[in-house]
Amino acid sequence: AQKITQTQPGMFVQEKEAVTLDCTYDTSDQSYGLFWYKQPSSGEMIFLIYQGSYDEQNATEGRYSLNFQKARKSANLVISASQLGDSAMYFCAMREGTGNQFYFGTGTSLTVIP
Amino acid sequence: DTGVSQDPRHKITKRGQNVTFRCDPISEHNRLYWYRQTLGQGPEFLTYFQNEAQLEKSRLLSDRFSAERPKGSFSTLEIQRTEQGDSAMYLCASSRGLAGGFSYNEQFFGPGTRLTVL
């Protein structure tokens, strides 16, 4: 089974609107971390936001927030007030327990329309 | 700039040749990771070092692949007898391992080395 599933290969959003990128995960560990990365066309992976499995509050970092629903095993990324520079690939990732391996999803390509 | 750097950024080689990539992590980071990313996919874990010790290897890392981190600083990834299926972006990441407890251990990625095997 896939550890991380991203079901939206591509998404479009109007500039200044909010967009939600979906991510579901699969683990039997009680302790895990969930991450979102942005990968522009230049190729570099940029860390956006982190959510720990024991965190009671949803993580927020500026315009990024993570909608964490533990029972549903989902960790959706919400980008508010989209900007043209947000156009990129977005990857959800998970680290289980104290392990060091990150499991990445297949990504969602986001295009912001002016 | 004190981010993760990788060299070269692009490499084109003929099938059967050996190639070597270098990664320089962020200086205070003791953990270093190699990933492979093919078109349309997310990064796939290859191997992990803590200081100079290689602690985890994916089954993706065939015997044609070898990675080293001799002094716990920079790392090299060598692919011997390259095959067309090795064409991919090879990403390096580093993180600071925090002592005790569970840490989120954010990984900082380099720009990658894009390998094309003809």
Side-chain angles (χ1 to χ4, degrees):
Chain A
Q2 293 288 329
K3 293 279 188 182
I4 295 288
T5 302
Q6 294 180 255
T7 57
Q8 306 155 312
M11 291 282 287
F12 293 86
V13 64
Q14 203 75 37
E15 194 178 5
K16 300 180 186 175
E17 298 292 311
V19 63
T20 298
L21 307 183
D22 295 342
C23 172
T24 57
Y25 59 92
D26 181 28
T27 182
S28 55
D29 282 10
Q30 296 301 308
S31 295
Y32 52 88
L34 297 156
F35 303 74
W36 277 91
Y37 283 84
K38 173 184 178 182
Q39 188 176 42
S41 55
S42 59
E44 190 162 349
M45 300 282 284
I46 302 167
F47 167 75
L48 296 177
I49 195 167
Y50 162 81
Q51 179 84 43
S53 58
Y54 293 120
D55 294 342
E56 295 186 351
Q57 304 231 347
N58 286 341
T60 59
E61 288 287 347
R63 294 187 298 110
Y64 304 108
S65 60
L66 201 151
N67 183 0
F68 181 46
Q69 298 186 46
K70 196 169 182 176
R72 299 177 65 180
K73 293 190 173 179
S74 75
N76 298 338
L77 177 71
V78 181
I79 305 174
S80 62
S82 296
Q83 302 172 356
L84 296 178
D86 294 335
S87 295
M89 284 292 291
Y90 288 81
F91 290 96
C92 179
M94 177 176 65
R95 182 169 71 93
E96 293 177 303
T98 55
N100 294 288
Q101 182 172 163
F102 274 40
Y103 299 95
F104 283 83
T106 51
T108 295
S109 175
L110 177 67
T111 302
V112 180
I113 304 166
Chain B
D1 186 277
T2 57
V4 179
S5 62
Q6 292 186 246
D7 184 69
R9 295 291 307 275
H10 303 273
K11 179 72 177 177
I12 300 174
T13 191
K14 292 183 179 178
R15 188 163 52 103
Q17 298 294 305
N18 298 346
V19 294
T20 301
F21 311 140
R22 177 180 170 123
C23 171
D24 287 89
I26 294 171
S27 59
E28 63 265 28
H29 286 183
N30 60 355
R31 298 181 177 187
L32 187 146
Y33 312 78
W34 285 98
Y35 291 85
R36 181 176 70 185
Q37 185 178 20
T38 53
L39 207 59
Q41 299 296 318
E44 296 173 294
F45 171 80
L46 292 178
T47 190
Y48 153 70
F49 289 85
Q50 180 152 331
N51 299 313
E52 65 275 8
Q54 188 174 18
L55 297 184
E56 279 187 55
K57 292 198 314 186
S58 163
R59 63 180 184 276
L60 293 175
L61 212 65
S62 76
D63 56 6
R64 295 185 299 105
F65 288 70
S66 62
E68 293 182 344
R69 194 181 182 197
K71 297 182 180 179
S73 56
F74 73 92
S75 175
T76 57
L77 177 68
E78 181 184 15
I79 309 174
Q80 296 182 326
R81 305 181 303 281
T82 51
E83 301 173 356
Q84 288 182 324
D86 297 331
S87 295
M89 175 80 86
Y90 289 84
L91 293 166
C92 176
S94 70
S95 69
R96 179 168 41 203
L98 299 178
F102 178 79
S103 72
Y104 75 78
N105 197 23
E106 173 195 340
Q107 295 189 2
F108 294 84
F109 282 81
T113 295
R114 184 169 294 285
L115 173 66
T116 303
V117 181
L118 302 175

